[in-house]
Amino acid sequence: MSDVAGRTVLIAGATSASGLASTRALAAAGARVVAVGHDPAKLAALAGEGSGISTFPCDLTSEQAVLALADDVHTSVGPVEGILHLVGGWRGGGGLAGQSEADYRFLERSFTALRFVSRTFDADVRASTAGRLAIVSSTAVGRPLAGGANYAAVKAASEAWTRAVAQGFAKGARDAGATLSAAAVVFRVKSLDGLEDALADEVVALWKKDAAELNDTVIPLE
């Protein structure tokens, strides 16, 4: 087991309510926080909150932009040891007939960003003595409704991707004959409204738990 102090954690979607709470909690715990978002103005306000917070505007749905982000982060901060993926949003309602293609493409951006970010920083997380990847998913995955079919499908895909990352962590350690040091986890919520601080506390606690205990787990937040 370890601690988050001194570790570099990237938050994708840092200017959301949950992103702000997690950024502040991680910085207070001594982490170096790489706060990433698409709105430079919101990031500028966040940058003034503490010396442990570095801000980077980026379109996380562009692979080239994420690769450029990695170069900037490595140069100015260093390797990334943790990733918290909070890029998301909601569109739905109207039953199955109300699930428009435009709505799906909007929601799909979250999954696209997860793929680009996790793949780009995978080597960093694996190389850490306590690498962590965490996403926030939804209880809709377990009980999808027609009015939220697009949303549930994207969240299910994100969970599957995260579990695949977890399997890769486990296989890499096993093939190297090494102790597992990286873990990928899913936080599952009905809604994050009112749970922003609870999520932040759980994120900080990821570094207080053994990677083998955490890897490929679903953590409910209520």
Side-chain angles (χ1 to χ4, degrees):
M1 290 185 286
S2 185
D3 192 88
V4 75
R7 300 192 182 277
T8 300
V9 182
L10 184 151
I11 300 181
T15 58
S16 64
S18 54
L20 292 172
S22 294
T23 295
R24 292 162 180 156
L26 285 164
R32 294 185 294 268
V33 182
V34 174
V36 183
H38 70 275
D39 189 330
K42 291 182 179 179
L43 285 171
L46 184 59
E49 294 203 10
S51 59
I53 302 172
S54 301
T55 59
F56 295 83
C58 183
D59 176 5
L60 296 175
T61 65
S62 164
E63 186 172 22
Q64 290 305 311
V66 175
L67 291 171
L69 169 68
D71 288 340
D72 290 344
V73 171
H74 288 154
T75 298
S76 59
V77 184
V80 168
E81 299 179 82
I83 299 168
L84 174 61
H85 180 76
L86 295 173
V87 178
W90 160 260
R91 286 189 183 181
L96 200 63
Q99 304 300 290
S100 73
E101 185 65 14
D103 289 344
Y104 175 76
R105 294 304 172 191
F106 170 82
L107 295 167
E108 186 186 36
R109 298 183 308 170
S110 172
F111 181 43
T112 299
L114 172 62
R115 292 188 298 109
F116 290 160
V117 172
S118 61
R119 192 165 60 208
T120 299
F121 291 98
D122 183 63
D124 281 8
V125 176
R126 286 172 179 259
S128 171
T129 56
R132 300 290 186 266
L133 166 68
I135 72 166
V136 175
S137 186
S138 170
T139 54
V141 172
R143 188 174 183 273
L145 304 177
N150 283 332
Y151 180 75
V154 169
K155 289 299 187 182
S158 298
E159 288 199 14
W161 181 272
T162 303
R163 294 195 66 195
V165 173
Q167 189 276 335
F169 288 162
K171 184 178 186 300
R174 186 169 61 250
D175 290 350
T179 300
L180 181 65
S181 61
V185 305
V186 174
F187 292 111
R188 196 181 279 176
V189 301
K190 183 175 181 180
S191 170
L192 270 175
D193 290 345
L195 291 178
E196 294 88 354
D197 290 338
L199 171 65
D201 291 342
E202 289 286 350
V203 170
V204 171
L206 290 176
W207 278 267
K208 297 182 181 296
K209 300 176 183 177
D210 185 73
E213 173 189 350
L214 280 174
N215 197 40
D216 198 16
T217 60
V218 175
I219 302 173
L221 289 180
E222 299 177 356

